[in-house]
Amino acid sequence: MTSDTPARRRGRVFSRRRGAPGRARRRLGAAVRMLAALALAGGVYTAFTPGAFAEDNVQLSAVAQEGKALYDTSCISCHGRDGQGVTERGPSLIGVGSASVEFQVGTGRMPMTRQEAQAEEKPPQFDKAQTEQLAQYVQELGGGPEIPDGPLVADIDTDPEALARGGELFRVNCTSCHGFGGGGGALSSGKFAPALHDPTAEELYAAMLTGPQNMPVFGDNQLTPEQKKQIITYIKFQLQEEKDPGGLFNLGRYGPSTEGMAIFLVGITLLVFTSLWIAGKS
Amino acid sequence: MTAVHHAGETGTPVDVNDPHLSRFDIVKEGLRRDDIEIVTYESHFHGQNSKAEKRVVRNISILFLLSGLFTLAFLVAYIWWPWHFKLGHTMSDYYTPILGITLGLGLLALGFAILAWAKKLLPHELSIQQRHGDPSSDDERLITGQTALFVADELGVQRRPLLKGAIALGSAPLGLAIAAPLVGGMIKNPHGDPEPMMYRTGFNPVANGGKPVRLTREDGSPIRPEDVSAGGQMTVFPGIPHGATNHYADSPTLLIHLRADDAATTRANAEADKNGRNKGSMWGNYVAYSKICTHAGCPASLYEQQTNRLLCPCHQSQFLITDNAQPVFGPATRRLPMLPLTVDEEGFFVAASDFKDTVGPDFWERP
Amino acid sequence: MKRRKIDLAQAPVNFAKGADDRFQGATPLRGLLNKVFPDHWSFLLGEIALFSFIVLLGSGVFLTLFFDPSMKEVAYDGEYLALKGTMMSAAYESSLNLSFEVRGGLFMRQMHHWAALLFMASILVHMARVFFTGAFRKPREINWVIGVLLFLLGFFAGFTGYSLPDDGLSGTGLRIASAIMLTLPIIGTWLSASIFGGEFPGELIIGRFYIAHVLLIPGILLALIAAHLGIVFKQKHTQWPGPLRTNENVVGERMFPRYAMKQGGFFMAVFGVIALMAGLFQINPIWLFGPYRAAEVSSASQPDFYVMFMDGLVRLMPNWQIYIPIGNGYSIPPMFWPAVVGLGALFTLPMAYPWLEARKLKDKRSHHLLERPRDNPERVGIGMMAFTFFMVATISGSNDVISDKFHISLNAMTWAGRIGLLILPPLAYYISVRICLGLQQHDRQVLAHGVETGIIKRLPNGQFVEIHQPLGPVDDHGHPIPLEYAGWVVPKKMNRIGALAPAIKGFFFPVEKPAEIPVSPAVGGAVKREEIKSGR
């Protein structure tokens, strides 16, 4: 959940309320108020189960209010009211967490333009602030994984082993779909694992944590935050920033496919033209 | 200079000691003896030292000099360019490209210098050589054949059957003796080992002193059910010494935590398994399949958590997780074996038994 | 003491005399210096393979100085930070050290790999040239067979070399190789266990592949290449038909100096292209692949391109398994058909082709003149059919990369490959045969009616006709006497017959002697047709 205490959050809500109250606000139930009060008093506002807040509604922070406004214009048609999901159209967003929103919306995958095998990356429709608002809203809807604060990339000057350990983890967990060189790869029936050349550390972290699309989830018990940071360190330093030492062009690091094309398009072509010149009369 | 004359195959011999003959005349006499006739032999240029010729000579010289320059640059780069690998953007990243470009251009310049020399400076020439590809005459063939047969006669093996048998019996063992260490040293019975390698993995309790083998991560740490999130998967290895090394190349297994509804389908299908091998092999919402593809042995580990498919990156076989990992696409014919799962008293995953199907690619005598 | 007289100018002469006294080399040497080679660009394609083989030998020897073919587990402690502390085999460690800690080692490794790809690529192109021009016909069948064997050996040399670094990709390849061995009926498990020294991967395979890669296969390759060249030398090179050229002669240049210089220059060019590619394009970045672990794999795992057709066939093969219900039951896995039977057929059928064709055409003559592809549509059709099959298989070998990069469904790619493998080769056969026949017909038309001049004339009756320039003499009415086809290029543009300025200046110097066979007896025509000896 958020780090705000409910009291502060409520204060902000009241002080910054404007315009017509949202539908959700109108439906604020007494039970929720009660629960919030209990939590405030007892400080045990920790236990929650996904879906517990689905029916009712929490009091939303101001940021989440903004997010909700965006949600109700752009997301609601597929994910339904209050993120409950629409059968055959969009999954429920209860419990997916802000990390998921930051990944899906931040990389432009959501909102989708049409129903297809896999949401494709495109220029994001919302700016950073709007994405955060949406994320905050979904987070407050039903909790879920969040991207931690602080640096997500290890400092390889102080922790030089992080790179090698990240590499090992990368090869066990990631290469089967994203490839040794991070070039991505095909999955069944038109789905694919995207290339890892562009994503930011936050996106990488969010993807591991939430398992977007067909990517498996790597929860914190499986890959500790420390290990996730090591993997990100490897991707950032070795796959994104590192200049390939073996040539000016790395042929996309796709291996033999592009190498085979290069030998015909460059090697054989150059030499056939050379032999044409040699044998040509002059 | 054009020399066109039709000497024919025989032509008229020339006295090569005649002092009036030019060197070219002597060459032509040699050519005549080799049944070669120069039909055209003509300079590309009109007269000596023509402007065009000078230009060509200049260009070729430039190419030679360029070659020297590039090769020198190669040497300089080879010796002085910082070449020790460093992480990040450093000068050393350009070591290999610079070697390649300098050496490559140096060689190409040299190559084209020689080619241009041969092509542009040397006189244009058209020579005709007779092939003489005729087979040997019938007489010759007859003589050679008879000679070969006479060799056999001389040996007289035909007339001396004892010798024939003795040679065969005497030399056959030698041939076998030469082949024996080669074959005998290499041959290995796949079914003769104390541990039958085709049918057993590291999860067999036998290798663990009879105790069920734990599922471990690559570093050997055991796994609790909550370590794998729903919709997540983990590559697990047998928790025995060297369990995660290539010594147990057939043992890597994919532990998958399914979502509740998928788990229900998977369980229903596992319980309805035709030969009953997968019955009771799941634990809660967890299922474990061999990671080794039944087609060619690559790790079939591309786990699609929404469509519940496992895809093999080598030949694109696809297995349906919710249906006993049956192959649904691609060249694989056999499902991925399921590892019977349970949890020991400390709460860690263990294999209830070894795989009940043979792990890894198919072979002839697989039961 | 007697003063020795030394005449420096006479030294070479004396040396030569001494050599001839002992080895009687003067006559054969003159024959060698004078030997005539025909000149055509397509005759240089095989040289690319020869020259890249020389580069392979040189760079390969360098690599052996640093490579350690051992599968002993070691912890990496080299300069490459991202693998520090990782457990790996000594083979992989030494490959990394070779790349990062030997000065110029990475460059040499990349040259070796690019040279290997160029070797195989040029063999393919050279084979295509030999096939489509009919150069494999009697008396050169054996050399064609040797050529196919060279490709097969190169295939195995390449695969063993690909396996040696023991990185993640080569281990995956080895795993598939072991699975292919396992598919063999009856002996499969025995063969795999014997070659790997037990269960896959064992600890011996790198050492065994090493000796095969650096000694056995190159030894046989070298011997076969020597035989290949020796036979070309003995039988003399084929040549295209054309003026002066007959089945009994060779028209071209003497070996020394021009031909030899061209060879030397071309070697430098091939070497230069390999070096340039080794510097410009990164190949096989083993440091990204990590050490081979049975549990690790990468998407886009492919063999090098010359093995890709086999991998593609394996990918396209439907999941048809044969069960034999005897005893415990036996099975033949589907991979057996593409990987063992398919590979066998793809090498034995081409080997047998020269005899099959000769048998079909009842042709027992020796051929030293090449055939233009269009003059044998059947052969072109069969060749294009094989080529299309090979291409569909090869493309399917990287169908996952293609489907990922071009956003095509992977399953659709597989199905397209399966259907394409059956439909496209016959289609290629039909199309190429039709094209050949069309080209033939056009040649005959020009020979019969002359070249289109582009000049349109209006007849008195108002009809428009284009004037044709006859290639040969005309009869009393001014109609061209039809010429016979000579097996060589027919001029189809006015500038080719000297009516306009030639497109390329100084292209050909007229020869006086008219061609005998197989150029048409029409004297005037022969003189004009000499303009076209260009080859292109």
Side-chain angles (χ1 to χ4, degrees), chain B residues 71 145 153 185 200 222 234:
Chain B
T71 322
D153 289 346
R200 190 187 289 179
M234 189 188 273

PDB file of all heavy atoms in Angstrom, chain B residues 71 145 153 185 200 222 234:
ATOM      1  N   THR B  71      48.798  -1.359 -44.109  1.00  0.00           N
ATOM      2  CA  THR B  71      49.426  -2.446 -43.348  1.00  0.00           C
ATOM      3  C   THR B  71      50.258  -1.875 -42.221  1.00  0.00           C
ATOM      4  O   THR B  71      50.301  -2.417 -41.116  1.00  0.00           O
ATOM      5  CB  THR B  71      50.261  -3.312 -44.284  1.00  0.00           C
ATOM      6  OG1 THR B  71      49.583  -3.430 -45.524  1.00  0.00           O
ATOM      7  CG2 THR B  71      50.457  -4.686 -43.701  1.00  0.00           C
ATOM      8  N   GLY B 145      46.140 -53.752 -69.217  1.00  0.00           N
ATOM      9  CA  GLY B 145      45.257 -54.748 -68.595  1.00  0.00           C
ATOM     10  C   GLY B 145      45.972 -56.074 -68.441  1.00  0.00           C
ATOM     11  O   GLY B 145      45.950 -56.692 -67.375  1.00  0.00           O
ATOM     12  N   ASP B 153      49.093 -63.289 -62.052  1.00  0.00           N
ATOM     13  CA  ASP B 153      49.655 -64.600 -62.406  1.00  0.00           C
ATOM     14  C   ASP B 153      50.952 -64.850 -61.644  1.00  0.00           C
ATOM     15  O   ASP B 153      51.191 -65.927 -61.122  1.00  0.00           O
ATOM     16  CB  ASP B 153      49.941 -64.656 -63.911  1.00  0.00           C
ATOM     17  CG  ASP B 153      48.641 -64.721 -64.693  1.00  0.00           C
ATOM     18  OD1 ASP B 153      47.586 -64.984 -64.048  1.00  0.00           O
ATOM     19  OD2 ASP B 153      48.664 -64.484 -65.913  1.00  0.00           O
ATOM     20  N   GLY B 185      37.701 -49.119 -27.696  1.00  0.00           N
ATOM     21  CA  GLY B 185      37.970 -48.080 -26.719  1.00  0.00           C
ATOM     22  C   GLY B 185      36.838 -47.094 -26.620  1.00  0.00           C
ATOM     23  O   GLY B 185      36.561 -46.548 -25.559  1.00  0.00           O
ATOM     24  N   ARG B 200      17.137 -42.672 -15.882  1.00  0.00           N
ATOM     25  CA  ARG B 200      17.171 -42.172 -14.522  1.00  0.00           C
ATOM     26  C   ARG B 200      17.688 -40.735 -14.494  1.00  0.00           C
ATOM     27  O   ARG B 200      18.591 -40.362 -15.232  1.00  0.00           O
ATOM     28  CB  ARG B 200      18.101 -43.054 -13.694  1.00  0.00           C
ATOM     29  CG  ARG B 200      17.996 -42.737 -12.215  1.00  0.00           C
ATOM     30  CD  ARG B 200      19.014 -43.483 -11.424  1.00  0.00           C
ATOM     31  NE  ARG B 200      18.731 -44.906 -11.359  1.00  0.00           N
ATOM     32  CZ  ARG B 200      19.527 -45.760 -10.715  1.00  0.00           C
ATOM     33  NH1 ARG B 200      20.631 -45.342 -10.141  1.00  0.00           N
ATOM     34  NH2 ARG B 200      19.218 -47.036 -10.679  1.00  0.00           N
ATOM     35  N   PRO B 222      17.051 -24.974  -1.169  1.00  0.00           N
ATOM     36  CA  PRO B 222      15.752 -25.619  -1.375  1.00  0.00           C
ATOM     37  C   PRO B 222      14.654 -24.588  -1.579  1.00  0.00           C
ATOM     38  O   PRO B 222      14.847 -23.390  -1.358  1.00  0.00           O
ATOM     39  CB  PRO B 222      15.546 -26.408  -0.088  1.00  0.00           C
ATOM     40  CG  PRO B 222      16.352 -25.682   0.924  1.00  0.00           C
ATOM     41  CD  PRO B 222      17.528 -25.088   0.204  1.00  0.00           C
ATOM     42  N   MET B 234      10.046 -21.601 -12.148  1.00  0.00           N
ATOM     43  CA  MET B 234      11.406 -21.605 -11.655  1.00  0.00           C
ATOM     44  C   MET B 234      12.092 -22.853 -12.183  1.00  0.00           C
ATOM     45  O   MET B 234      11.490 -23.924 -12.244  1.00  0.00           O
ATOM     46  CB  MET B 234      11.389 -21.627 -10.127  1.00  0.00           C
ATOM     47  CG  MET B 234      12.744 -21.419  -9.495  1.00  0.00           C
ATOM     48  SD  MET B 234      12.675 -21.690  -7.731  1.00  0.00           S
ATOM     49  CE  MET B 234      12.206 -20.098  -7.134  1.00  0.00           C
TER      50      MET B 234
END
